[in-house]
Amino acid sequence: MSATASTTPAPPPGPDAAEVVRRLELTLGRRVDGLLHGDHAGRLPGLGSEAGEARRYAPGDDPRRIDWNVTARSQGPHVRDAVAEREVESWLVVDLSASLDFGTARCTKRDLVVAAAGAFALLTSRSGDRVGAHVLTHEGIVTLPARAGSAQARTLLNVLATTPRPDSAARPTGPRLDLGDALIRLARQTRRRGLAVVVSDFPGSGHWLPAMRAVAGRHETLAVEVLDPRELDLPDVGLLVVADPETGDEREVRTSDAGLRQRYAETARVQRRATAAALRERTVDHLVLRTDRDATADLVAWLAERPRRLAHLRRQRMVGAGRGGPA
């Protein structure tokens, strides 16, 4: 006898999003402070790319740094040192589309997205860097200009926590935007190199890949992927009626079919591997958070390993630049 499940599995009651962020702020404060910042991957090797003040040439100075304009005016050799740019402008691309309103474990994917984006907003604002966001919702893209200070981080957290969930009975009639559109907006509107954090479930369609390449080509980019265990394998619960949260389309699935469950799991594995490979190809640092795991512990462990991964990503960039690929 087969059982019939509801159209969409009801997610367990998750904690209030703002409360999750407040707890994250307290938990992460001492454990990861300093792990995210102070080790940004520079785009150019050497002492820095920003022009500093000119000074008189001294024996041992690199002659390639001679400032010929100042030298001609002063009638004596002068060099201009390059200084590293300390302030980094950080941008969050946060996916709050309908597909995130799903969860069968400790919370929904949306709860994870809000918590992860909130954690990065708090961590980046602590070092005095400016932080802004492009938030993808079912109604469009909400942009918060980059500003510095804890007040900006709090404003961003409030926007994430209070963004209304899509109403399945009232779908928007206009063109539906996706993650790629939010990434394109970041690539087009942000001229200054900085840090980009993309938090999404990264749809298997792959439409976002070209835009991700454009973002990663300019910014140091982190990808935070959120998953639910039911997206990786199906349980045997009889006849299951599933719905696409983006379109509302429904389909009956007979989960008692072992072959179907095996094909589903294999397709999910292939999709996840393809996503990871695409991000590696673009030298994007990749974190996976799951609704059935402790997201705080996973984030702390990931940040602790970040210096080692950054060194590897730098080597990849240099090799890619030497071969004429994306630097």
Side-chain angles (χ1 to χ4, degrees):
M1 181 180 296
S2 64
T4 303
S6 59
T7 301
T8 303
D16 176 74
E19 179 61 25
V20 169
V21 173
R22 282 193 293 271
R23 289 206 303 265
L24 270 173
E25 182 179 15
L26 294 173
T27 305
L28 293 174
R30 294 182 178 178
R31 298 175 68 180
V32 301
D33 206 11
L35 290 179
L36 179 63
H37 284 277
D39 199 16
H40 293 295
R43 291 292 173 184
L44 296 175
L47 299 177
S49 57
E50 295 297 310
E53 294 185 357
R55 60 175 176 80
R56 184 170 290 276
Y57 177 87
D61 285 338
D62 188 346
R64 292 174 297 180
R65 293 191 177 276
I66 293 178
D67 188 320
W68 295 107
N69 291 329
V70 177
T71 297
R73 291 195 301 268
S74 64
Q75 300 298 310
H78 280 68
V79 295
R80 188 176 295 275
D81 290 326
V83 296
E85 186 178 0
R86 299 299 179 188
E87 186 182 70
V88 175
E89 188 171 272
S90 301
W91 282 91
L92 303 178
V93 176
V94 186
D95 187 354
L96 291 181
S97 57
S99 66
L100 277 300
D101 289 318
F102 177 79
T104 61
R106 304 169 66 163
C107 61
T108 66
K109 293 194 296 180
R110 181 188 178 100
D111 294 330
L112 269 188
V113 166
V114 171
F120 278 104
L122 293 167
L123 289 171
T124 53
S125 66
R126 282 188 175 189
S127 62
D129 292 344
R130 293 192 301 274
V131 58
H134 297 291
V135 184
L136 175 64
T137 73
H138 67 289
E139 295 179 340
I141 300 173
V142 178
T143 298
L144 284 79
R147 294 190 178 92
S150 58
Q152 168 72 353
R154 291 291 180 184
T155 298
L156 195 152
L157 298 181
N158 184 63
V159 170
L160 296 178
T162 58
T163 296
R165 298 172 185 267
D167 183 358
S168 58
R171 298 290 176 182
T173 57
R176 184 161 54 91
L177 302 179
D178 60 16
L179 177 62
D181 295 299
L183 290 169
I184 289 173
R185 178 172 295 190
L186 173 60
R188 289 178 177 174
Q189 295 185 358
T190 309
R191 301 298 181 208
R192 186 180 183 184
R193 288 189 176 96
L195 175 69
V197 181
V198 185
V199 190
S200 173
D201 54 0
F202 294 99
S205 63
H207 294 160
W208 49 270
L209 284 173
M212 179 66 85
R213 179 187 292 275
V215 170
R218 173 167 292 273
H219 305 285
E220 178 190 347
T221 306
L222 318 179
V224 182
E225 181 181 9
V226 295
L227 292 174
D228 186 85
R230 292 287 74 83
E231 295 176 306
L232 304 177
D233 63 82
L234 283 175
D236 183 359
V237 293
L239 186 63
L240 183 69
V241 182
V242 296
D244 184 335
E246 300 284 354
T247 65
D249 296 338
E250 296 183 356
R251 174 178 294 186
E252 291 185 352
V253 177
R254 194 171 297 279
T255 61
S256 56
D257 184 344
L260 182 144
R261 297 199 307 275
Q262 183 177 359
R263 292 192 300 273
Y264 179 94
E266 178 59 27
T267 300
R269 281 194 295 270
V270 170
Q271 180 177 319
R272 298 273 67 77
R273 286 198 295 264
T275 297
L279 294 173
R280 278 198 309 272
E281 179 186 349
R282 289 154 181 80
T283 64
V284 173
D285 207 358
H286 185 201
L287 166 66
V288 177
L289 298 178
R290 294 173 48 129
T291 61
D292 59 343
R293 290 177 54 89
D294 183 345
T296 302
D298 288 344
L299 178 58
V300 169
W302 182 80
L303 287 174
E305 286 292 312
R306 181 170 162 73
R308 180 185 60 81
R309 290 194 313 275
L310 279 179
H312 178 68
L313 289 173
R314 287 192 186 102
R315 290 193 295 269
Q316 280 188 292
R317 266 193 212 109
M318 297 300 291
V319 170
R323 295 176 178 174

